[in-house]
Amino acid sequence: MTPTSIQDWLLRIDDWFYTYLLAAVLVAVGVYMTVRSGAVQLRHLGTMLQSIAGSRGGAHGGISSFQAFAVGLAARVGIGNIAGVALAVVAGGPGALFWMWVVALVGMATSFVESTLAQIFKERGRDFTFRGGPAYYIKNGLGSRAWGRVFAVMCIISVGVTVVMVQTNALAGVITATVSDVKPWMVGVFLVMLTGPVVLGGLKSVARVTEWLAPIMALIYIMATAVVIVLNIGELDDVLGSVFRGAFGADQALFGVAGGVLAAVLNGVRRGLFSNEAGLGTVPNAAGTATVAHPVRQGLIQSFGVFIDTILVCTATGMLILLATDTYQPGNPSLEGAVLTQQAVVEHLGAWTTWPMVVLIFVLVFSTVLGCYSYAQVNVNFLGGEHRAEQLFGLVLTGAAFAGCVLSLPIVWALTDIALGLLGLLNLVVIVRLMPWAVGALRDFEAQRARGVEPVFVGHANPLLPGDVVPGIWEADGRQPGARQPADRGGADRG
């Protein structure tokens, strides 16, 4: 079998697996969790904002709630927000954007559940830090260390190596296409010089960088889009109308290259789900590292990350493209991916934006690589790796970042998608089984707030939980080692 035939075979499997099986399962689980949680993503939207506002301090040497949120945001908001949305709009038409919004609202419930579980079943690491995520809640929630190890190995390979390679491969392609004198190896060397010192410093170092990088990056992109919308405010009604008409097949002129309302649904669902990562089991690896007084707090904060990723950042990309009437034409595939988004910005703001867009894409990839390190490192620790293993993995990830810039990776792209899909299926089965724990924690959180007290989680002999959690983490007096206590928080954390 030739490499070309292997590649074609993998791409067919990838397309069917993502477009139909996994997308359907993710949506079904999201709807189920929305119902079981009483639409937590809608009822507690205000609490999410208040929790983020009061989440920056109080880690006492560990990783703060805001830092864990920023790590998850850094990995979520990546090149997929620029290229993935463009692909969805080209294939599915403007209506694909509407279905991205729908799955984001559903995915917020899934993200809440998996991130809350990561907190409930986390374990204590060294240096006042915690480790949590699917491997840990499979082990401590389902009692299966073996399946936890399976997940950990899959996560390290898929997220910590292949995802990093495909991200940097896309980056090298964009930069070399913009500046012919720049070679892929030059991009790789520069990226290694930035990435190496950060990842070799461990999770705390990554958290310190992403704490400011990820929010600023997202804010700049959204502000640039706001400028474009203001400049084209007279056309906004028509663009929003095209989104809704295309979503329900009311205007055939708005169909994408794949044709029909089904194409809008499938492309919007697929790109939306895998942009915000809800249900894939990746973000909980960051959520479980935070030091908080109640698991639900971090669950709500990470759920809001889905809102930022899709409702804000993906919508920003969609508006940039749909308002660029010279660059984008429904059903015309002449431009797609990051190139379409880049050219749309040029149409709106001028040729001077070419380099700023290259810089933005570079920062997106850099932050995603840091997020990938955080996810994979948690699983290295789960498998027994300590300081030397962490440093060795940091070198492996840095090497993968360089390799991605200089290698041709069509097969790796397909393998990465399939590996992440399998990771997601395993995680979805687990969080459905552990749903009673997340629901119990949510009821505990709401009951304490109803009494007018700051929620503090007790993981032992709690009548709202199916059982007791890991000893030494959520103590019977409500004290979690390194956590902020109610007296420390003041009013900023009140919802």
Side-chain angles (χ1 to χ4, degrees):
M1 186 176 288
T2 66
T4 302
S5 61
I6 293 174
Q7 177 183 327
D8 291 341
W9 181 68
L10 287 172
L11 288 173
R12 283 196 295 270
I13 293 176
D14 175 35
D15 189 60
W16 180 87
F17 184 52
Y18 265 57
T19 303
Y20 299 101
L21 176 62
L22 191 54
V25 174
L26 279 165
V27 171
V29 170
V31 171
Y32 168 72
M33 292 183 171
T34 297
V35 174
R36 284 290 306 273
S37 67
V40 62
Q41 69 270 46
L42 301 179
R43 292 189 298 112
H44 283 290
L45 188 60
T47 312
M48 294 177 190
L49 293 169
Q50 293 164 353
S51 296
I52 292 173
S55 65
R56 292 190 64 88
H60 295 279
I63 294 173
S64 73
S65 180
F66 184 82
Q67 287 175 327
F69 163 73
V71 169
L73 184 64
R76 275 186 170 121
V77 181
I79 201 166
N81 293 81
I82 288 180
V85 177
L87 289 169
V89 171
V90 168
L97 190 60
F98 172 85
W99 295 109
M100 293 182 76
W101 297 337
V102 171
V103 298
L105 292 175
V106 171
M108 288 176 72
T110 307
S111 185
F112 165 79
V113 171
E114 62 182 355
S115 295
T116 300
L117 292 172
Q119 275 289 319
I120 292 174
F121 294 109
K122 67 185 180 182
E123 296 180 4
R124 192 185 338 200
R126 62 179 188 278
D127 301 331
F128 298 100
T129 61
F130 294 98
R131 299 291 184 270
Y136 290 88
Y137 54 69
I138 290 171
K139 171 194 165 190
N140 297 324
L142 296 183
S144 177
R145 182 184 293 270
W147 277 106
R149 287 173 175 165
V150 169
F151 184 96
V153 170
M154 291 171 62
C155 187
I156 292 169
I157 294 173
S158 61
V159 176
V161 178
T162 60
V163 168
V164 170
M165 292 176 71
V166 298
Q167 285 278 329
T168 59
N169 182 261
L171 171 67
V174 169
I175 293 178
T176 55
T178 304
V179 186
S180 58
D181 291 337
V182 175
K183 306 300 180 186
W185 68 267
M186 297 178 185
V187 180
V189 169
F190 187 59
L191 194 58
V192 165
M193 291 172 62
L194 288 178
T195 305
V198 179
V199 300
L200 291 177
L203 285 177
K204 286 186 180 180
S205 177
V206 170
R208 284 193 295 269
V209 173
T210 55
E211 182 178 19
W212 59 268
L213 180 63
I216 290 175
M217 169 190 65
L219 182 61
I220 290 174
Y221 190 56
I222 293 169
M223 288 177 64
T225 306
V227 171
V228 171
I229 291 174
V230 170
L231 293 175
N232 297 273
I233 194 68
E235 301 170 27
L236 187 59
D237 286 345
D238 289 340
V239 167
L240 291 175
S242 72
V243 170
F244 288 97
R245 293 196 308 273
F248 300 99
D251 188 345
Q252 293 185 3
L254 298 174
F255 288 166
V257 296
V261 65
L262 182 61
V265 175
L266 292 179
N267 282 280
V269 168
R270 176 176 176 175
R271 298 298 174 183
L273 287 170
F274 299 108
S275 171
N276 60 54
E277 300 183 39
L280 292 185
T282 51
V283 173
N285 291 288
T289 65
T291 303
V292 292
H294 200 290
V296 167
R297 284 286 186 196
Q298 197 61 29
L300 292 172
I301 287 174
Q302 296 296 355
S303 177
F304 192 71
V306 175
F307 181 91
I308 293 176
D309 175 88
T310 305
I311 304 299
L312 296 184
V313 180
C314 287
T315 299
T317 300
M319 290 296 104
L320 285 172
I321 294 170
L322 296 177
L323 285 167
T325 54
D326 293 336
T327 302
Y328 169 72
Q329 296 293 331
N332 181 4
S334 58
L335 291 175
E336 61 180 25
V339 176
L340 174 58
T341 305
Q342 188 179 34
Q343 291 302 308
V345 174
V346 169
E347 178 184 330
H348 290 302
L349 302 177
W352 67 270
T353 59
T354 299
W355 264 106
M357 278 298 294
V358 169
V359 173
L360 175 66
I361 292 171
F362 184 92
V363 175
L364 286 170
V365 171
F366 175 59
S367 65
T368 300
V369 168
L370 295 184
C372 288
Y373 168 83
S374 176
Y375 293 170
Q377 191 61 69
V378 167
N379 290 279
V380 170
N381 293 144
F382 180 84
L383 295 174
E386 289 298 333
H387 187 59
R388 289 185 178 179
E390 291 178 0
Q391 290 186 321
L392 177 60
F393 176 69
L395 291 173
V396 170
L397 179 137
T398 304
F402 178 81
C405 291
V406 299
L407 297 177
S408 178
L409 300 174
I411 292 179
V412 176
W413 274 91
L415 287 173
T416 300
D417 276 351
I418 294 171
L420 282 175
L422 292 173
L423 205 66
L425 281 181
L426 175 57
N427 180 64
L428 290 170
V429 171
V430 173
I431 63 176
V432 167
R433 292 188 60 185
L434 294 176
M435 185 68 183
W437 288 88
V439 171
L442 178 60
R443 289 174 178 168
D444 178 71
F445 178 84
E446 292 174 335
Q448 292 186 58
R449 293 183 72 232
R451 295 197 302 270
V453 300
E454 282 296 325
V456 175
F457 190 63
V458 176
H460 303 273
N462 188 327
L464 296 175
L465 299 178
D468 291 340
V469 300
V470 179
I473 303 300
W474 302 102
E475 300 297 339
D477 61 356
R479 290 185 172 269
Q480 177 191 161
R484 292 182 292 172
Q485 300 307 314
D488 300 328
R489 288 203 298 269
D493 218 12
R494 296 184 185 278

